Amino acid sequence: MTLPTHFKLNTGALIPAIGLGTWQSKPGEVRKAVAFALKDGYRHIDAALIYGNENEVGQGIKDSGVPREKIFITSKLWNTHHPNVAEGLQKTLEALGTDYVDLYLIHWPVRLVPNETSELLPVNPDGTRSVDRSWDQSETWCQMEEVYKSGKVKAIGVANWSIPYLEELRKKWTIVPAVNQVELHPFLPQHELKEYCDKLGILLEAYSPLGSTGAPLMTDPEIQQIAEKNGVSAATILISYHVNKGIVVLPKSVSEKRISSNKEVILLSKEDLDVLDGLAAKGKAKRINTPLWGFDLGFADWYRPVKSQ
């Protein structure tokens, strides 16, 4: 048995199983990383307006020499553009230098209201995020459906959406999201969300698959043991974990050596998968990314809001 190189979206389109993440890639580095990754065989680039580097991502795509139609590009609608999806999308298209993206996601189910403090990350006088709590996310999704119909995006989806939020959106959608991109790794396997999305034909994508200093996945003894047994690195195990489970995985790196090694995956045994699936339940559960939006996003492990908020 060999692992798939692509998965099928509910639109019928194929999405490469492994993509290059560009979050937190520094200026001057991401252009080279994208160009190298595409020359090295990647065909999936994951970007977002809020990353602040889509111009460089676009330059890297051009530098690679790989034809646009052979590349799967994902971008994301930022929180301040929920009332005007078309405007947010246009900023991304201009930055990337393309007239369409293959996948466009609502980055968070949170609307931020721009003010004099910032266009993208506005804050209130007390320092909290300038969040519009009354905003109806179905209004954003309705506009996402319109840009999908326009042909400027080939598929639409969400990112960082929990089951309760998806259930609420489900009441209004006429197009089922193609993707839900969330933090996923053995310390945050999100088994219930995976089962829920599978039933609805929503493909999961994993960001932060290798963890960080706050979640030392790479040095976990049980993960290292599986890596040694299979004769590969811990990173290969963590990336392979998702592809084996039918999840798109988005490792981020600007190192050419790591970019190359991150696209190597192996078939994992049921025993190995069971161990990885059980790590969180054994007390190792850890979420890395919890922006201080000021309220609960419906995930069981998300922080709870302060009563006064």
Side-chain angles (χ1 to χ4, degrees):
M1 178 183 171
T2 56
L3 288 172
T5 58
H6 293 72
F7 298 118
K8 186 173 280 190
L9 297 177
N10 59 19
T11 61
L14 294 177
I15 181 171
I18 301 174
L20 179 73
T22 58
W23 180 39
Q24 293 182 331
S25 292
K26 294 176 184 175
E29 293 181 339
V30 71
R31 178 177 181 171
K32 291 178 184 174
V34 168
F36 175 80
L38 291 170
K39 288 175 184 175
D40 198 47
Y42 281 77
R43 289 296 178 266
H44 181 183
I45 305 294
D46 183 78
L49 180 71
I50 192 61
Y51 299 168
N53 57 16
E54 286 193 319
N55 278 299
E56 282 200 45
V57 170
Q59 289 163 354
I61 290 169
K62 290 185 180 70
D63 293 347
S64 75
V66 176
R68 167 66 185 94
E69 62 272 16
K70 293 187 176 180
I71 305 169
F72 192 102
I73 303 176
T74 297
S75 188
K76 307 174 194 79
L77 176 82
W78 185 237
N79 302 12
T80 50
H81 291 127
H82 281 222
N84 195 332
V85 171
E87 182 182 284
L89 172 63
Q90 193 57 36
K91 285 180 182 290
T92 278
L93 294 177
E94 288 172 6
L96 291 171
T98 183
D99 56 5
Y100 72 97
V101 291
D102 298 273
L103 177 63
Y104 198 49
L105 309 176
I106 300 177
H107 207 146
W108 291 91
V110 176
R111 188 211 165 189
L112 294 177
V113 184
N115 59 30
E116 63 280 0
T117 66
S118 175
E119 238 183 86
L120 297 177
L121 287 168
V123 293
N124 297 314
D126 65 358
T128 58
R129 289 285 175 219
S130 177
V131 175
D132 179 0
R133 295 174 181 278
S134 67
W135 183 255
D136 182 352
Q137 289 294 324
S138 68
E139 296 290 330
T140 309
W141 188 252
C142 180
Q143 293 182 59
M144 292 288 283
E145 293 184 349
E146 288 305 310
V147 295
Y148 171 68
K149 290 170 188 173
S150 78
K152 290 184 177 181
V153 303
K154 303 302 181 186
I156 52 174
V158 295
N160 302 295
W161 284 55
S162 63
I163 294 172
Y165 276 66
L166 287 166
E167 275 293 285
E168 193 61 30
L169 191 64
R170 190 179 177 185
K171 296 173 184 175
K172 300 282 183 70
W173 72 39
T174 59
I175 298 171
V176 179
V179 158
N180 185 13
Q181 184 182 127
V182 292
E183 181 182 338
L184 267 178
H185 44 72
F187 287 4
L188 188 66
Q190 309 228 45
H191 297 310
E192 286 183 28
L193 182 63
K194 170 77 163 60
E195 185 180 346
Y196 175 89
C197 287
D198 282 351
K199 285 179 181 173
L200 291 175
I202 301 171
L203 185 69
L204 278 189
E205 288 187 338
Y207 71 75
S208 296
L210 305 179
S212 72
T213 51
L217 287 155
M218 303 277 273
T219 57
D220 180 81
E222 289 176 276
I223 292 172
Q224 286 195 324
Q225 190 175 14
I226 292 172
E228 287 167 15
K229 185 176 82 172
N230 287 279
V232 296
S233 68
T236 295
I237 294 299
L238 291 167
I239 293 166
S240 300
Y241 171 70
H242 296 294
V243 180
N244 275 261
K245 289 168 68 71
I247 296 168
V248 172
V249 60
L250 303 166
K252 172 256 168 183
S253 182
V254 293
S255 156
E256 292 186 359
K257 184 179 177 183
R258 287 197 189 118
I259 290 170
S260 281
S261 63
N262 283 349
K263 72 178 193 298
E264 306 302 326
V265 292
I266 65 166
L267 191 65
L268 292 170
S269 68
K270 182 181 182 303
E271 179 189 14
D272 289 342
L273 285 170
D274 286 345
V275 171
L276 294 168
D277 274 341
L279 291 179
K282 288 169 65 175
K284 295 180 179 179
K286 173 76 175 178
R287 180 182 288 273
I288 298 162
N289 191 28
T290 51
L292 299 175
W293 303 129
F295 60 100
D296 185 3
L297 290 190
F299 294 99
D301 64 314
W302 198 268
Y303 67 88
R304 296 305 182 201
V306 177
K307 287 184 180 178
S308 61
Q309 290 184 327

